[in-house]
């Protein structure tokens, strides 16, 4: 290499060195800037995280406070007023009858919140049941549907009138019908329904027993009116006869209204029986009949309905069964009834039943209600009337039975 070539090479190297210095400087600068940026970014991120942590902590504290507040609200409830009931101040067993010691309020509901009426001191009530309302207060439901607190200071249990257990028990509500209501009338039947059927068909001859003539008359009527021909009178035939659809069952279901209250004594029940008997006075004697007071009865039919009015149902003898074949002599069944107390004739009293033998026999054939002073009310042909205890028609007295002890 000559001198000239050496100088050129040296110059070239110097140029390269000068051009590389700015690049190196820029690289260092860039590295420094990048480091600064990274540091700044890191600082910013750390700051953001710190801020976020503070926010989360504040949010958590706020949420905790809110939950705590809600918990406090749930925990804090209005205080329920507890009513303390001293059961010693209330009746513990259901009484049959109560009498008010003072004026009290009767309610429409057991909660005792809806007033019904004010009841005066001394008033008696028949009780249906003893229960407790939702507050635990013992409450009586009365037979009239009203309610009253069973407080001993307001009312007292009263012993009702009742016969000894071996005799017919006194009913404190209206006696219910005993037997089938709405029975079909057939041959051999007696009673009010038979009487009305025979009167309508023109077969009544003074004795209301469903006889063969009536049976044929019914068959002919059914054939003419396109009814099932049976000769028996059911609801459809009865209605077609024009006897009144409802009456077919009303005659059977009738029992005399109760004429004495549970808290009234023996005398009140006897008078209820006799009052009802007088309602039939003057009506015709009708065999096997024992129903509404606008119709007649026979002797035992009068006694049955009168006993109902006093609160006695002498089952198995009943007003419904009385019209059925075989029951026309219910006077005999009543005489044989051990639940009616026998008493000596010399001790007879108002309200007793007087039984008679058929003359020349020992067979019971009549019964009457004793009124006192040797007088009776009875159903004897041709009508219901008041007569001496003994007369020329029935004078052989078998004995006395006492329904109300």
């Amino acid at each position: 290499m000559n001198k000239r070539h050496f100088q050129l090479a040296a110059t070239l190297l110097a140029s390269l060195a000068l051009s590389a210095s700015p690049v190196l400087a820029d690289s260092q600068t860039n590295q420094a800037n990048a480091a600064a940026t990274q540091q700044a970014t890191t600082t910013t991120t750390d700051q953001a995280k710190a801020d976020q942590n503070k926010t989360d902590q504040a949010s958590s504290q706020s949420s905790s406070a809110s939950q705590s507040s809600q918990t406090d609200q749930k925990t804090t409830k209005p205080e329920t007023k507890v009513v303390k009931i001293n059961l010693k101040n209330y009746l513990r067993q259901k009484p049959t009858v109560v009498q008010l010691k003072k004026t009290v309020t009767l309610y429409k509901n057991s909660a005792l919140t809806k007033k019904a009426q004010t009841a005066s001191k001394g008033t008696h009530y028949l009780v249906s049941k003893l229960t407790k309302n939702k507050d635990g207060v013992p409450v009586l439901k009365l037979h009239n549907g009203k309610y009253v607190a069973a407080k001993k200071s307001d009312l007292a249990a009263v012993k009702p009138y009742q016969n000894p257990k071996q005799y017919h028990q006194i009913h404190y509500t209206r006696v219910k019908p005993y037997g089938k209501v709405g029975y079909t009338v057939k041959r051999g039947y007696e009673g009010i329904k038979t009487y009305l059927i025979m009167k309508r068909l023109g077969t009544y001859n003074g004795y209301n027993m469903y006889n063969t003539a009536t049976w044929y008359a019914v068959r002919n009527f059914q054939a003419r009116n396109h009814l099932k021909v049976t000769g028996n009178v059911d609801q459809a035939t009865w209605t077609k006869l024009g006897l009144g659809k409802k009456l077919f069952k009303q005659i059977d279901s009738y029992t005399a209204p109760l004429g004495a209250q549970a808290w009234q004594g023996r005398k009140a029940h006897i008078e209820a029986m006799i009052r009802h008997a007088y309602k039939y006075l003057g009506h015709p004697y009708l065999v096997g009949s024992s129903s509404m007071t606008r119709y007649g009865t026979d002797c035992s039919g009068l006694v049955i309905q009168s006993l109902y009015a006093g609160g006695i149902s002498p089952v198995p003898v009943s007003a419904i069964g009385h019209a059925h074949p075989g029951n026309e002599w219910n006077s005999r069944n009543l005489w044989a009834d051990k639940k009616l107390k026998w008493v000596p004739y010399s001790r007879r009293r108002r309200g007793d039943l007087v039984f008679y033998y058929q003359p020349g026999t020992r067979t019971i054939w009549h019964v009457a209600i004793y009124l006192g002073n040797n007088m009776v009310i009875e159903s004897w042909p041709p009508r219901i009337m008041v007569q001496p205890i003994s007369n020329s028609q029935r004078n052989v007295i078998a004995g006395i039975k006492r329904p109300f002890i």
Side-chain angles (χ1 to χ4, degrees), residues 266 270-271 273-274 307 349-353 368-372 401-404:
R266 176 179 182 273
I270 290 171
E271 294 308 314
M273 175 181 69
I274 292 173
L307 287 174
R349 296 166 62 180
R350 182 175 171 87
D352 289 344
L353 303 180
I369 299 172
Y370 187 61
L371 301 176
K401 286 290 190 88
R402 180 163 294 164
F404 301 98

Side-chain angles (χ1 to χ4, degrees), residues 114-376:
K114 298 179 181 179
K115 293 184 179 180
Q117 66 187 72
T118 299
S120 302
K121 176 182 177 181
T123 306
H124 291 83
Y125 288 102
L126 193 62
V127 178
S128 295
K129 67 177 180 179
L130 171 64
T131 185
K132 286 185 179 180
N133 63 20
K134 62 181 181 180
D135 295 323
V137 178
V139 174
L140 296 178
K141 183 178 181 181
L142 306 178
H143 185 66
N144 62 7
K146 305 297 189 301
Y147 294 84
V148 64
K151 295 179 69 175
K152 293 179 180 179
S153 59
D154 293 348
L155 46 81
V158 174
K159 186 177 180 179
Y161 169 69
Q162 187 56 271
N163 278 336
K165 290 183 179 180
Q166 66 267 37
Y167 301 109
H168 285 295
Q169 296 297 282
I170 307 299
H171 291 239
Y172 301 133
T173 57
R174 190 171 185 169
V175 172
K176 295 181 179 180
Y178 182 81
K180 182 180 179 181
V181 173
Y183 63 86
T184 296
V185 187
K186 305 175 182 179
R187 277 189 283 189
Y189 278 65
E190 299 172 337
I192 301 300
K193 293 203 302 195
T194 297
Y195 170 73
L196 295 177
I197 292 166
M198 295 178 77
K199 291 281 285 185
R200 179 56 54 93
L201 294 174
T203 60
Y204 181 67
N205 58 4
Y207 183 52
N208 56 308
M209 175 182 281
Y210 200 98
N211 54 24
T212 301
T214 303
W215 184 76
Y216 276 116
V218 169
R219 287 178 63 87
N220 291 334
F221 176 84
Q222 290 170 332
R224 291 195 307 271
N225 289 275
H226 309 290
L227 297 168
K228 185 177 180 180
V229 178
T230 62
N232 303 325
V233 177
D234 57 6
Q235 177 75 74
T237 301
W238 174 276
T239 304
K240 198 68 177 179
L241 282 166
L243 296 172
K245 183 177 180 179
K246 292 182 178 179
L247 192 60
F248 187 71
K249 291 184 177 180
Q250 287 175 343
I251 290 172
D252 304 339
S253 63
Y254 178 80
T255 59
L258 197 63
Q261 301 297 336
W263 51 88
Q264 295 177 308
R266 176 179 182 273
K267 182 179 179 180
H269 287 77
I270 290 171
E271 294 308 314
M273 175 181 69
I274 292 173
R275 278 197 309 272
H276 192 75
Y278 267 90
K279 293 179 181 179
Y280 294 94
L281 203 62
H283 287 289
Y285 175 90
L286 293 173
V287 295
S289 301
S290 184
S291 188
M292 306 170 194
T293 55
R294 67 173 179 262
Y295 301 115
T297 71
D298 62 8
C299 64
S300 48
L302 177 68
V303 169
I304 292 168
Q305 287 292 345
S306 299
L307 287 174
Y308 287 164
I312 286 179
S313 178
V315 292
V317 172
S318 72
I320 293 175
H322 191 48
H324 290 56
N327 293 325
E328 56 271 9
W329 293 104
N330 266 327
S331 56
R332 296 170 186 171
N333 295 326
L334 291 171
W335 173 248
D337 189 351
K338 293 181 180 180
K339 291 186 177 181
L340 292 172
K341 185 179 180 179
W342 178 88
V343 295
Y345 178 76
S346 60
R347 294 178 57 192
R348 63 193 180 279
R349 296 166 62 180
R350 182 175 171 87
D352 289 344
L353 303 180
V354 185
F355 291 85
Y356 298 82
Y357 285 133
Q358 185 176 359
T361 73
R362 301 287 289 179
T363 302
I364 298 294
W365 74 328
H366 184 57
V367 61
I369 299 172
Y370 187 61
L371 301 176
N373 297 320
N374 290 324
M375 300 296 290
V376 297

Side-chain angles (χ1 to χ4, degrees), residues 72-90:
D72 291 342
Q73 288 177 1
K74 289 181 180 179
T75 303
T76 306
K77 293 182 179 179
E79 292 184 4
T80 302
K81 187 176 181 181
V82 179
V83 179
K84 293 184 178 180
I85 305 298
N86 188 348
L87 296 178
K88 291 182 179 180
N89 297 330
Y90 293 83

